[in-house]
């Protein structure tokens, strides 16, 4: 089941990226590239299109009609998977006016050792450097919420591993 979900997520990301090469040539007024896990895909919002990525897109489109959303969110993704998605965008020559990144929750929920978390911070710095150098100079990074306060987490701390 997990392999099938990852395969579907990767295929949807490839489809999203298939139209991205040369996208920023005046044909699209504003490109928004979203990266993350289930948060970026709207999981947990009701309806899913009320998730933050979709809300940002609608607000931007209201001000700049014709906004193009490239959503590379992968449910269950950790920093390693998000780096892979950004690598695909780089290979396609994708550029964006805005990039959002929200990572860390899945890495934390999986119970990564604190020493590994330091390595992931290095991974995050590398990811942000790649985004800045190759994709966009405007990057917004979401902070890690205190998920221990969520009733779902308190009831079953290890059930959020695919958030």
């Amino acid at each position: 089941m997990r392999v099938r979900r990852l395969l579907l997520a990767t295929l949807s990301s490839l489809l999203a990226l298939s139209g991205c090469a040369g996208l920023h040539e005046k044909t699209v007024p504003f490109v928004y590239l979203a990266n993350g896990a289930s948060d970026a895909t709207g999981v947990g919002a009701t309806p899913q299109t009320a998730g933050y990525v979709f809300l940002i897109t609608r607000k931007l489109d209201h001000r700049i009609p014709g906004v193009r959303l490239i959503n590379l969110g992968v449910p269950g993704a950790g920093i390693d998977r998000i780096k892979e998605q950004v690598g695909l965008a780089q290979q396609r020559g994708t550029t964006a006016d805005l990039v959002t990144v929200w990572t860390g929750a899945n890495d934390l929920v999986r119970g990564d050792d604190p020493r590994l978390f330091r390595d992931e911070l290095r991974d995050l710095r590398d990811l942000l450097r790649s985004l800045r150098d190759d994709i966009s100079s405007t990057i917004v990074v979401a902070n890690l919420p205190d998920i221990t306060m969520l009733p779902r987490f308190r009831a079953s701390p290890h059930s959020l591993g695919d958030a």
Side-chain angles (χ1 to χ4, degrees):
M1 179 71 169
R2 186 179 188 120
V3 172
R4 191 169 80 188
R5 282 180 38 200
L6 286 174
L7 180 60
L8 286 172
T10 301
L11 288 174
S12 66
S13 295
L14 289 173
L15 285 173
L17 288 170
S18 66
C20 297
L23 186 69
H24 216 242
E25 306 167 351
K26 297 292 178 202
T27 56
V28 176
F30 194 94
V31 177
Y32 168 29
L33 177 69
N35 299 279
S38 57
D39 53 273
T41 63
V43 171
T46 306
Q48 278 189 282
T49 55
Y52 82 92
V53 166
F54 303 102
L55 295 175
I56 291 171
T57 302
R58 283 194 295 276
K59 289 286 189 182
L60 286 170
D61 196 53
H62 181 71
R63 293 175 184 229
I64 309 165
V67 168
R68 171 75 185 262
L69 169 63
I70 303 168
N71 192 337
L72 300 182
V74 178
I79 186 70
D80 53 341
R81 183 60 136 170
I82 294 169
K83 282 175 59 175
E84 288 176 18
Q85 298 301 91
V86 169
L88 288 172
Q90 287 174 297
Q91 289 174 9
R92 298 289 302 175
T94 303
T95 60
D97 297 288
L98 170 66
V99 173
T100 56
V101 178
W102 191 350
T103 185
N106 288 328
D107 303 294
L108 179 67
V109 169
R110 286 188 191 107
D112 284 356
D113 182 291
R115 289 170 290 186
L116 293 175
F117 195 71
R118 278 195 301 269
D119 292 340
E120 289 169 4
L121 289 176
R122 273 185 239 124
D123 288 342
L124 179 59
R125 279 193 283 279
D126 292 344
L127 171 71
L128 295 174
R129 190 175 301 111
S130 295
L131 285 168
R132 182 197 64 213
D133 292 348
D134 298 330
I135 296 176
S136 180
S137 60
T138 306
I139 304 166
V140 178
V141 180
N143 197 1
L144 191 61
D146 184 358
I147 60 174
T148 63
M149 301 306 291
L150 295 172
R152 181 175 161 201
F153 183 83
R154 287 175 180 240
S156 181
H158 299 289
S159 69
L160 292 180
D162 290 327

